[in-house]
Amino acid sequence: MSTTHTTTGTWFFACKTTDVPTNGGVCVKYNDEQIALFFFARRNEWYATQNLCPHRRQMALSRGMTGTVQDEPKVACPFHKKTFSLKDGRCLSDEHECSLTTYPVKIVDDRVYINVAEIPVMAEV
Amino acid sequence: MKVVVIGNGMVGYKCCEKLIARSASSPLELVVFGEEPRPAYDRVHLTSWFDGKTANDLLLAPLSWYTDNGIRLHLGDPVMQIDRTHKTVTSYKGITEPYDYLVIATGSAAFVPPVPGMDKKGVFIYRTIEDLEMMKAYAPQASCGAVIGGGLLGLEAAKALLDLGISNTHVIEFSPRLMPRQIDEQGAAILQHKLHQLGLKILTGKNTREVMGNEAVTGLQFADDTILPADIVVVSAGIKPRDELAKACGLATGPRGGIIVNEQLQTSDPFIYAVGECALHNNMIYGLVAPGYEMAEVAISHMCSDHKAFTGFDMSTKLKLIGVDVASFGDPFPAPDTCHSIVFEDKYKGTYKRINITPDGQFLLGGILIGDAAAYNLLLQTARNKMVLPANPEELLLGSRGTADNGAGVTALPDEAMICSCENVSKGTICQAVTDGHETLDDVKKCTKAGTCCGGCTPMVKDLITATMKAQGKYIRNVVCEHFAYSRQEMLDLIKLKSLRSFDEVLDHYGSGEGCEVCKPVVASILASLWNDMILDKGNDTAQDSNDRYLANIQKGGTYSVVPRIPGGEITPEKLIVIGEIATKYNLYTKITGGQRIDLFGAHLSDLPDIWEELIAAGFESGHAYGKALRTVKSCVGSTWCRFGLHDSVSFAIQIEERYRGLRAPHKIKSAVSGCIRECAEAQSKDFGIIATEKGWNLYVCGNGGSKPQHAQLLAADLDSDTCIRYIDRFLMFYIKTADPLTRTATWLNKLDGGMDYLRNVVVNDSLGIAEQLEAAMQLLVDNYKCEWREVVENPELRKRFSHFVNAPADKDPTVKFETMRAQKKAAEWK
């Protein structure tokens, strides 16, 4: 869905669409960064965020369960079930928690690209 | 059709209401004659007139209701004559009205015993608002009161005297106890004691011989020559049917009064009906409003060519007498050889409860409640609907121990159960009204009329509203989450009904949105509990909680722990060596768990399939330590080595563990088997625990360690191994079927209505008739068991999912860090 983003940064090839489980996530390596990539098959939407959960600084978000709250896409960290919006990265279950960095995603044929224009900033705890 | 109704009391009014309701289909001319100066009012709540309610408040319908519905109402104008030949009636004021059908609803008058002096000033009857007005006018000059009659009405009248400020009031009853028709001696004694505490004096076994005084009453003289001073006397010794009109026109009447009617409420003249307290049905006069309303319904429907019958009515009743609850229902005192009675008496609090049950303990016949009648509605329904009693019927009186839930009682009632007997409203009607959107008590009352008469059923109507809304996921949000408006139990039933096999299918059928971290694991667990398919198949992998999705427990730092199954804690030296070798090879921290197994920590995600490949090759299988599933069956060493052991607890533990391995449930399940009473396996702290006895096995269930420890309770004793397993099958499937998500067996039992006795009844006595079904459901799961790690190891597609980077599968997560402690590694501390 994020193909409509108008971005100026670099699109890098992450993986094939078939590499990502339906309604689930994977972790993508980009240089020294880890990016969590999520596929919402029922609405054909893709999202990408930092893989690091800011709560306990664990590289785990790509293994979290995805879902919605009032139609807003979210992911729950497998460690302590903090949930984060995939639209803007804010923490939905704890307003004092840091937000996630999000990245635009675009699909070309069966290939998934992530835009890393903004230098990803690790959220400070 | 032209109908004339004689009498505008509660039942006469009900006839009008019923006729108007049916007049839409055929034109109706309705004329009503009433003796009293005001339209029908609520005589049941007559005493509330003293609490400040006005006569207008008590009206069943305002005058305008009659006009609006085209009813010609003549008040203060009693009918004096019925001419059956010409089918007319003539009133006191000389109005003559012809009729097609005539309804006599003249009610009753107070029965005044034939005692000299009843005509003296200061002697009143207690029947109409006019009577109350006269009493009120006379009361200021009186200081000691007496009520003749210690029945329902007599005690109401005594309350009226107290309300009028006459605190020195005696109730005089001819029979040896109060309310002889409704309650037994023991109950009457408690009631009398209680009323005495409230300042009312009671004299029983007193036969009034004369009302003393010149013009005005000064006292009562009794047959035993004693005298009671009194300057105001209320007579409330019973009722006398008003049958004089009927007698005069030659209708058949009973020898002691009452107009004889058949089951359609027709008198000896088929065009004339009699209803209410003036009607004599099967030698009975019904002095309560509920049967009167039922008569009105039957008579009017017969008039309109419907076929209903009045076949008698039970005289169950509940009221508050001067602040004391008194209820009597069904058969309050059957002959001793036809029933057993359970009696509870608390002289300190002044409560008395008696229930009469059939000799086989199956059904409730009736009973008496004094001092606390909160259980009245439920008991009445239990008796009326012939509902099978719990194994310990005393719980009906005392409540089941440990639970405070009384909502489940209403939900168990059948739809036909009559909740409001005054207005004839069934449970089904009330629930339907709630479903249609009438979600407040007032709305339901308005729309169904339930609870609008005596009000006794109001608590039950409330419970039904709550229960119905709850069932729709509206009131108490017991629903799974925003995506599914069902409870877990409902979800399980629905999924089973449609044979759904994937989270997506379930969401399509019963959900909305995308699901979330709450509903996904619930559905995934239900699917596993129903079918035992491979949990990573059919797109269900992403519906699993993270640990289930990777078939391992995520630990600090993002690595995983591996727990192979070691059934009963028994392991060969060769297998121990394999575990040691694998731990060394993959650099894993090893620890013995509380459940007699070995946990291997610190495995990278991408190493998991390789580790398991080696474990499986050595004969291990998944231990399901990552799932809400059967974990371990712990055992003591048992009779093979132990000098105290009675049976081979290790063999039985292995048999049990292998039967239930992989069983997924609302929460994790732990078990243990002890070989003797010393209980070294700590079976009584487990979800189900087994302890050897001389004769077999004792089966304990619903124990829990954890933050709120709870001992398991004995479910059944001295079982042979096969029976023990059958009971465990039933117990586990019943738990899986009914528990809320993430509820351990101990909590589940604590919330279960009826507690352990109920559970035992279901599991051991098969009280729900589902034992076979539960056993079959379990057998299906047992037959479908496969080691899920073996399936992953053998399936390259599934193996692919166990890498940290999708675009660099060979790389491990570089952020994982370990430290060293006591010659092993540990996860780096998180910040």
Side-chain angles (χ1 to χ4, degrees), chain B residues 152-201:
Chain B
L152 273 181
L153 275 177
L155 291 171
E156 292 258 354
K159 157 98 162 63
L161 283 184
L162 291 179
D163 287 342
L164 285 173
I166 301 165
S167 51
N168 180 17
T169 289
H170 282 79
V171 173
I172 293 112
E173 169 58 40
F174 171 72
S175 75
R177 64 174 195 263
L178 291 174
M179 299 182 67
R181 286 209 236 173
Q182 288 89 4
I183 63 181
D184 59 9
E185 262 172 63
Q186 215 176 335
I190 288 274
L191 176 63
Q192 186 166 338
H193 179 71
K194 193 104 189 176
L195 293 177
H196 192 81
Q197 283 180 332
L198 293 164
L200 202 61
K201 301 173 188 78

Short mmCIF file of all heavy atoms in Angstrom, two decimals, chain B residues 152-201:
data_model
loop_
_atom_site.label_atom_id
_atom_site.label_comp_id
_atom_site.label_asym_id
_atom_site.label_seq_id
_atom_site.Cartn_x
_atom_site.Cartn_y
_atom_site.Cartn_z
N LEU B 152 -52.23 -14.06 55.80
CA LEU B 152 -51.57 -13.04 54.97
C LEU B 152 -52.16 -11.66 55.18
O LEU B 152 -51.47 -10.71 55.53
CB LEU B 152 -51.75 -13.40 53.50
CG LEU B 152 -50.73 -14.32 52.86
CD1 LEU B 152 -51.08 -14.53 51.40
CD2 LEU B 152 -49.37 -13.68 53.01
N LEU B 153 -53.49 -11.58 54.97
CA LEU B 153 -54.15 -10.28 55.02
C LEU B 153 -54.14 -9.70 56.43
O LEU B 153 -53.98 -8.50 56.62
CB LEU B 153 -55.59 -10.41 54.53
CG LEU B 153 -55.78 -10.32 53.03
CD1 LEU B 153 -57.25 -10.55 52.68
CD2 LEU B 153 -55.33 -8.95 52.53
N GLY B 154 -54.27 -10.57 57.42
CA GLY B 154 -54.29 -10.13 58.80
C GLY B 154 -52.98 -9.44 59.16
O GLY B 154 -52.96 -8.38 59.79
N LEU B 155 -51.87 -10.05 58.73
CA LEU B 155 -50.57 -9.46 59.04
C LEU B 155 -50.39 -8.15 58.28
O LEU B 155 -49.79 -7.20 58.78
CB LEU B 155 -49.46 -10.46 58.73
CG LEU B 155 -49.47 -11.67 59.68
CD1 LEU B 155 -48.51 -12.75 59.21
CD2 LEU B 155 -49.14 -11.26 61.10
N GLU B 156 -50.94 -8.09 57.05
CA GLU B 156 -50.92 -6.82 56.31
C GLU B 156 -51.70 -5.76 57.07
O GLU B 156 -51.27 -4.60 57.18
CB GLU B 156 -51.56 -7.02 54.92
CG GLU B 156 -50.74 -7.90 53.99
CD GLU B 156 -49.98 -7.07 52.97
OE1 GLU B 156 -50.18 -5.85 52.94
OE2 GLU B 156 -49.16 -7.65 52.24
N ALA B 157 -52.83 -6.16 57.60
CA ALA B 157 -53.67 -5.21 58.34
C ALA B 157 -52.94 -4.74 59.59
O ALA B 157 -53.02 -3.56 59.96
CB ALA B 157 -54.99 -5.87 58.68
N ALA B 158 -52.23 -5.65 60.25
CA ALA B 158 -51.47 -5.28 61.44
C ALA B 158 -50.42 -4.24 61.09
O ALA B 158 -50.18 -3.28 61.82
CB ALA B 158 -50.82 -6.52 62.05
N LYS B 159 -49.80 -4.44 59.92
CA LYS B 159 -48.82 -3.47 59.44
C LYS B 159 -49.49 -2.11 59.27
O LYS B 159 -48.93 -1.07 59.62
CB LYS B 159 -48.25 -3.97 58.11
CG LYS B 159 -47.65 -2.91 57.20
CD LYS B 159 -46.14 -2.86 57.35
CE LYS B 159 -45.43 -2.17 56.22
NZ LYS B 159 -45.72 -0.75 56.02
N ALA B 160 -50.72 -2.15 58.73
CA ALA B 160 -51.45 -0.90 58.51
C ALA B 160 -51.68 -0.19 59.84
O ALA B 160 -51.50 1.02 59.95
CB ALA B 160 -52.78 -1.18 57.81
N LEU B 161 -52.03 -0.95 60.89
CA LEU B 161 -52.26 -0.33 62.20
C LEU B 161 -50.97 0.29 62.74
O LEU B 161 -50.96 1.40 63.27
CB LEU B 161 -52.81 -1.37 63.19
CG LEU B 161 -54.29 -1.71 63.04
CD1 LEU B 161 -54.73 -2.68 64.13
CD2 LEU B 161 -55.15 -0.44 63.10
N LEU B 162 -49.85 -0.46 62.60
CA LEU B 162 -48.56 0.08 63.05
C LEU B 162 -48.27 1.38 62.31
O LEU B 162 -47.84 2.37 62.89
CB LEU B 162 -47.43 -0.93 62.80
CG LEU B 162 -47.43 -2.20 63.66
CD1 LEU B 162 -46.25 -3.09 63.27
CD2 LEU B 162 -47.35 -1.86 65.14
N ASP B 163 -48.54 1.36 61.00
CA ASP B 163 -48.28 2.55 60.18
C ASP B 163 -49.16 3.73 60.63
O ASP B 163 -48.80 4.88 60.45
CB ASP B 163 -48.54 2.27 58.70
CG ASP B 163 -47.44 1.41 58.10
OD1 ASP B 163 -46.36 1.34 58.71
OD2 ASP B 163 -47.68 0.81 57.04
N LEU B 164 -50.33 3.41 61.18
CA LEU B 164 -51.23 4.48 61.64
C LEU B 164 -50.84 4.96 63.02
O LEU B 164 -51.52 5.78 63.63
CB LEU B 164 -52.68 3.98 61.65
CG LEU B 164 -53.33 3.85 60.27
CD1 LEU B 164 -54.69 3.18 60.38
CD2 LEU B 164 -53.46 5.21 59.61
N GLY B 165 -49.74 4.44 63.55
CA GLY B 165 -49.22 4.93 64.82
C GLY B 165 -49.72 4.16 66.03
O GLY B 165 -49.51 4.57 67.16
N ILE B 166 -50.42 3.06 65.79
CA ILE B 166 -50.91 2.29 66.94
C ILE B 166 -49.88 1.18 67.23
O ILE B 166 -49.94 0.07 66.69
CB ILE B 166 -52.30 1.71 66.64
CG1 ILE B 166 -53.24 2.90 66.34
CG2 ILE B 166 -52.81 0.88 67.81
CD1 ILE B 166 -54.51 2.52 65.70
N SER B 167 -48.91 1.53 68.07
CA SER B 167 -47.78 0.62 68.26
C SER B 167 -48.16 -0.57 69.13
O SER B 167 -47.54 -1.62 69.07
CB SER B 167 -46.60 1.37 68.87
OG SER B 167 -47.06 2.06 70.01
N ASN B 168 -49.19 -0.40 69.95
CA ASN B 168 -49.63 -1.51 70.78
C ASN B 168 -50.70 -2.31 70.04
O ASN B 168 -51.89 -2.10 70.19
CB ASN B 168 -50.17 -0.95 72.10
CG ASN B 168 -50.65 -2.06 73.03
OD1 ASN B 168 -50.30 -3.23 72.84
ND2 ASN B 168 -51.45 -1.69 74.01
N THR B 169 -50.25 -3.22 69.17
CA THR B 169 -51.19 -3.96 68.34
C THR B 169 -51.01 -5.46 68.51
O THR B 169 -49.89 -5.97 68.53
CB THR B 169 -51.01 -3.56 66.86
OG1 THR B 169 -51.47 -2.24 66.66
CG2 THR B 169 -51.77 -4.49 65.95
N HIS B 170 -52.11 -6.15 68.69
CA HIS B 170 -52.10 -7.62 68.80
C HIS B 170 -52.69 -8.24 67.55
O HIS B 170 -53.63 -7.70 66.96
CB HIS B 170 -52.97 -8.07 69.99
CG HIS B 170 -52.30 -7.91 71.31
ND1 HIS B 170 -52.20 -6.70 71.96
CD2 HIS B 170 -51.67 -8.82 72.11
CE1 HIS B 170 -51.56 -6.87 73.11
NE2 HIS B 170 -51.21 -8.15 73.22
N VAL B 171 -52.12 -9.38 67.16
CA VAL B 171 -52.74 -10.18 66.09
C VAL B 171 -53.33 -11.42 66.74
O VAL B 171 -52.65 -12.10 67.52
CB VAL B 171 -51.70 -10.58 65.03
CG1 VAL B 171 -52.32 -11.55 64.03
CG2 VAL B 171 -51.17 -9.36 64.33
N ILE B 172 -54.58 -11.68 66.45
CA ILE B 172 -55.25 -12.83 67.06
C ILE B 172 -55.55 -13.88 65.99
O ILE B 172 -56.19 -13.60 64.99
CB ILE B 172 -56.57 -12.39 67.74
CG1 ILE B 172 -56.21 -11.50 68.94
CG2 ILE B 172 -57.36 -13.58 68.23
CD1 ILE B 172 -56.61 -10.10 68.78
N GLU B 173 -55.01 -15.07 66.24
CA GLU B 173 -55.22 -16.14 65.27
C GLU B 173 -55.93 -17.31 65.96
O GLU B 173 -55.54 -17.72 67.06
CB GLU B 173 -53.87 -16.58 64.67
CG GLU B 173 -53.89 -17.84 63.84
CD GLU B 173 -54.85 -17.80 62.65
OE1 GLU B 173 -54.95 -16.75 61.99
OE2 GLU B 173 -55.53 -18.83 62.40
N PHE B 174 -56.91 -17.84 65.28
CA PHE B 174 -57.72 -18.91 65.83
C PHE B 174 -56.92 -20.22 65.90
O PHE B 174 -56.94 -20.94 66.89
CB PHE B 174 -58.96 -19.07 64.94
CG PHE B 174 -59.80 -20.27 65.26
CD1 PHE B 174 -60.57 -20.29 66.43
CD2 PHE B 174 -59.83 -21.38 64.43
CE1 PHE B 174 -61.35 -21.40 66.74
CE2 PHE B 174 -60.60 -22.48 64.74
CZ PHE B 174 -61.36 -22.49 65.89
N SER B 175 -56.16 -20.51 64.84
CA SER B 175 -55.39 -21.75 64.83
C SER B 175 -54.12 -21.59 65.66
O SER B 175 -53.78 -20.48 66.05
CB SER B 175 -55.07 -22.16 63.39
OG SER B 175 -54.05 -21.35 62.91
N PRO B 176 -53.42 -22.70 65.95
CA PRO B 176 -52.27 -22.60 66.86
C PRO B 176 -51.08 -21.85 66.29
O PRO B 176 -50.09 -21.64 66.98
CB PRO B 176 -51.89 -24.05 67.14
CG PRO B 176 -52.96 -24.89 66.54
CD PRO B 176 -53.68 -24.07 65.54
N ARG B 177 -51.08 -21.48 65.00
CA ARG B 177 -49.93 -20.78 64.45
C ARG B 177 -50.34 -19.74 63.41
O ARG B 177 -51.45 -19.79 62.88
CB ARG B 177 -48.95 -21.77 63.81
CG ARG B 177 -49.51 -22.51 62.61
CD ARG B 177 -48.43 -23.35 61.95
NE ARG B 177 -48.79 -23.80 60.61
CZ ARG B 177 -49.30 -24.99 60.36
NH1 ARG B 177 -49.55 -25.84 61.32
NH2 ARG B 177 -49.59 -25.33 59.11
N LEU B 178 -49.43 -18.83 63.10
CA LEU B 178 -49.67 -17.83 62.08
C LEU B 178 -49.67 -18.47 60.69
O LEU B 178 -49.01 -19.49 60.47
CB LEU B 178 -48.58 -16.75 62.11
CG LEU B 178 -48.55 -15.83 63.33
CD1 LEU B 178 -47.32 -14.93 63.27
CD2 LEU B 178 -49.82 -14.97 63.37
N MET B 179 -50.36 -17.85 59.78
CA MET B 179 -50.37 -18.27 58.37
C MET B 179 -50.46 -19.79 58.20
O MET B 179 -49.64 -20.40 57.53
CB MET B 179 -49.11 -17.74 57.66
CG MET B 179 -49.05 -16.22 57.67
SD MET B 179 -47.62 -15.58 56.79
CE MET B 179 -48.03 -16.05 55.11
N PRO B 180 -51.47 -20.38 58.80
CA PRO B 180 -51.54 -21.85 58.82
C PRO B 180 -51.60 -22.48 57.42
O PRO B 180 -51.19 -23.62 57.26
CB PRO B 180 -52.83 -22.13 59.60
CG PRO B 180 -53.62 -20.87 59.52
CD PRO B 180 -52.63 -19.77 59.45
N ARG B 181 -52.07 -21.72 56.44
CA ARG B 181 -52.18 -22.33 55.10
C ARG B 181 -50.88 -22.31 54.34
O ARG B 181 -50.68 -23.11 53.42
CB ARG B 181 -53.22 -21.57 54.28
CG ARG B 181 -54.62 -21.88 54.74
CD ARG B 181 -55.54 -21.74 53.58
NE ARG B 181 -56.59 -20.79 53.92
CZ ARG B 181 -57.47 -20.36 53.04
NH1 ARG B 181 -57.38 -20.73 51.78
NH2 ARG B 181 -58.41 -19.54 53.40
N GLN B 182 -49.99 -21.40 54.71
CA GLN B 182 -48.77 -21.25 53.91
C GLN B 182 -47.52 -21.82 54.56
O GLN B 182 -46.64 -22.29 53.86
CB GLN B 182 -48.51 -19.77 53.59
CG GLN B 182 -49.46 -19.17 52.59
CD GLN B 182 -50.70 -18.58 53.24
OE1 GLN B 182 -50.82 -18.55 54.46
NE2 GLN B 182 -51.64 -18.15 52.41
N ILE B 183 -47.43 -21.75 55.88
CA ILE B 183 -46.17 -22.15 56.49
C ILE B 183 -46.38 -23.15 57.63
O ILE B 183 -47.48 -23.26 58.17
CB ILE B 183 -45.36 -20.92 56.99
CG1 ILE B 183 -46.10 -20.18 58.09
CG2 ILE B 183 -45.07 -19.97 55.84
CD1 ILE B 183 -45.34 -18.97 58.58
N ASP B 184 -45.32 -23.88 57.96
CA ASP B 184 -45.43 -24.91 58.99
C ASP B 184 -45.15 -24.33 60.38
O ASP B 184 -44.85 -23.14 60.53
CB ASP B 184 -44.49 -26.08 58.67
CG ASP B 184 -43.04 -25.63 58.58
OD1 ASP B 184 -42.74 -24.46 58.93
OD2 ASP B 184 -42.20 -26.44 58.14
N GLU B 185 -45.24 -25.19 61.39
CA GLU B 185 -45.13 -24.73 62.78
C GLU B 185 -43.80 -24.06 63.08
O GLU B 185 -43.74 -23.00 63.68
CB GLU B 185 -45.28 -25.93 63.72
CG GLU B 185 -46.67 -26.08 64.30
CD GLU B 185 -46.80 -27.38 65.07
OE1 GLU B 185 -46.08 -27.53 66.07
OE2 GLU B 185 -47.59 -28.24 64.63
N GLN B 186 -42.73 -24.76 62.63
CA GLN B 186 -41.40 -24.26 62.91
C GLN B 186 -41.19 -22.87 62.28
O GLN B 186 -40.65 -21.97 62.89
CB GLN B 186 -40.38 -25.24 62.34
CG GLN B 186 -39.13 -25.38 63.17
CD GLN B 186 -38.22 -26.45 62.58
OE1 GLN B 186 -38.68 -27.36 61.88
NE2 GLN B 186 -36.94 -26.34 62.85
N GLY B 187 -41.67 -22.74 61.02
CA GLY B 187 -41.56 -21.47 60.32
C GLY B 187 -42.38 -20.40 61.00
O GLY B 187 -41.95 -19.26 61.16
N ALA B 188 -43.58 -20.79 61.43
CA ALA B 188 -44.47 -19.84 62.09
C ALA B 188 -43.84 -19.34 63.38
O ALA B 188 -43.96 -18.17 63.73
CB ALA B 188 -45.83 -20.49 62.36
N ALA B 189 -43.14 -20.24 64.09
CA ALA B 189 -42.51 -19.84 65.35
C ALA B 189 -41.44 -18.78 65.10
O ALA B 189 -41.34 -17.79 65.82
CB ALA B 189 -41.90 -21.06 66.03
N ILE B 190 -40.65 -19.00 64.04
CA ILE B 190 -39.62 -18.02 63.69
C ILE B 190 -40.26 -16.69 63.30
O ILE B 190 -39.84 -15.63 63.74
CB ILE B 190 -38.75 -18.55 62.52
CG1 ILE B 190 -37.85 -19.69 63.00
CG2 ILE B 190 -37.94 -17.45 61.90
CD1 ILE B 190 -36.54 -19.24 63.62
N LEU B 191 -41.30 -16.77 62.48
CA LEU B 191 -41.99 -15.56 62.03
C LEU B 191 -42.56 -14.80 63.23
O LEU B 191 -42.40 -13.58 63.34
CB LEU B 191 -43.10 -15.93 61.04
CG LEU B 191 -43.97 -14.77 60.56
CD1 LEU B 191 -43.14 -13.76 59.79
CD2 LEU B 191 -45.12 -15.27 59.70
N GLN B 192 -43.16 -15.56 64.13
CA GLN B 192 -43.78 -14.95 65.30
C GLN B 192 -42.72 -14.24 66.16
O GLN B 192 -42.90 -13.11 66.60
CB GLN B 192 -44.48 -16.03 66.12
CG GLN B 192 -45.28 -15.46 67.28
CD GLN B 192 -46.23 -16.49 67.87
OE1 GLN B 192 -46.59 -17.46 67.21
NE2 GLN B 192 -46.63 -16.29 69.12
N HIS B 193 -41.59 -14.92 66.33
CA HIS B 193 -40.50 -14.36 67.10
C HIS B 193 -40.00 -13.06 66.46
O HIS B 193 -39.78 -12.05 67.12
CB HIS B 193 -39.37 -15.38 67.20
CG HIS B 193 -38.19 -14.90 67.97
ND1 HIS B 193 -38.20 -14.71 69.33
CD2 HIS B 193 -36.94 -14.54 67.56
CE1 HIS B 193 -37.03 -14.26 69.73
NE2 HIS B 193 -36.25 -14.14 68.67
N LYS B 194 -39.87 -13.13 65.14
CA LYS B 194 -39.36 -12.00 64.39
C LYS B 194 -40.34 -10.81 64.47
O LYS B 194 -39.92 -9.67 64.68
CB LYS B 194 -39.18 -12.45 62.93
CG LYS B 194 -38.40 -11.50 62.10
CD LYS B 194 -36.99 -11.98 61.86
CE LYS B 194 -36.24 -10.83 61.20
NZ LYS B 194 -34.86 -11.05 60.98
N LEU B 195 -41.63 -11.10 64.32
CA LEU B 195 -42.64 -10.03 64.38
C LEU B 195 -42.69 -9.44 65.79
O LEU B 195 -42.86 -8.24 65.98
CB LEU B 195 -44.01 -10.58 63.99
CG LEU B 195 -44.14 -11.00 62.53
CD1 LEU B 195 -45.51 -11.61 62.26
CD2 LEU B 195 -43.90 -9.83 61.59
N HIS B 196 -42.49 -10.33 66.76
CA HIS B 196 -42.48 -9.87 68.15
C HIS B 196 -41.36 -8.87 68.38
O HIS B 196 -41.54 -7.84 69.02
CB HIS B 196 -42.32 -11.08 69.07
CG HIS B 196 -42.59 -10.76 70.51
ND1 HIS B 196 -43.86 -10.69 71.04
CD2 HIS B 196 -41.75 -10.45 71.53
CE1 HIS B 196 -43.79 -10.35 72.32
NE2 HIS B 196 -42.52 -10.20 72.64
N GLN B 197 -40.18 -9.20 67.82
CA GLN B 197 -39.05 -8.28 67.93
C GLN B 197 -39.38 -6.92 67.34
O GLN B 197 -38.85 -5.90 67.77
CB GLN B 197 -37.84 -8.84 67.20
CG GLN B 197 -37.12 -9.93 67.95
CD GLN B 197 -35.93 -10.44 67.18
OE1 GLN B 197 -35.93 -10.39 65.95
NE2 GLN B 197 -34.93 -10.93 67.89
N LEU B 198 -40.23 -6.93 66.32
CA LEU B 198 -40.56 -5.68 65.65
C LEU B 198 -41.72 -4.97 66.35
O LEU B 198 -42.23 -3.97 65.87
CB LEU B 198 -40.92 -5.95 64.19
CG LEU B 198 -39.74 -6.45 63.36
CD1 LEU B 198 -40.22 -7.07 62.05
CD2 LEU B 198 -38.78 -5.30 63.08
N GLY B 199 -42.16 -5.50 67.47
CA GLY B 199 -43.14 -4.79 68.29
C GLY B 199 -44.57 -5.26 68.11
O GLY B 199 -45.49 -4.66 68.68
N LEU B 200 -44.77 -6.33 67.37
CA LEU B 200 -46.13 -6.81 67.14
C LEU B 200 -46.39 -7.97 68.10
O LEU B 200 -45.56 -8.87 68.24
CB LEU B 200 -46.24 -7.29 65.70
CG LEU B 200 -47.63 -7.34 65.10
CD1 LEU B 200 -48.26 -5.96 65.10
CD2 LEU B 200 -47.52 -7.86 63.66
N LYS B 201 -47.52 -7.92 68.77
CA LYS B 201 -47.81 -9.01 69.72
C LYS B 201 -48.74 -10.02 69.05
O LYS B 201 -49.67 -9.63 68.33
CB LYS B 201 -48.44 -8.43 70.98
CG LYS B 201 -47.53 -7.41 71.65
CD LYS B 201 -48.20 -6.71 72.81
CE LYS B 201 -47.34 -5.57 73.33
NZ LYS B 201 -47.41 -4.36 72.47
#
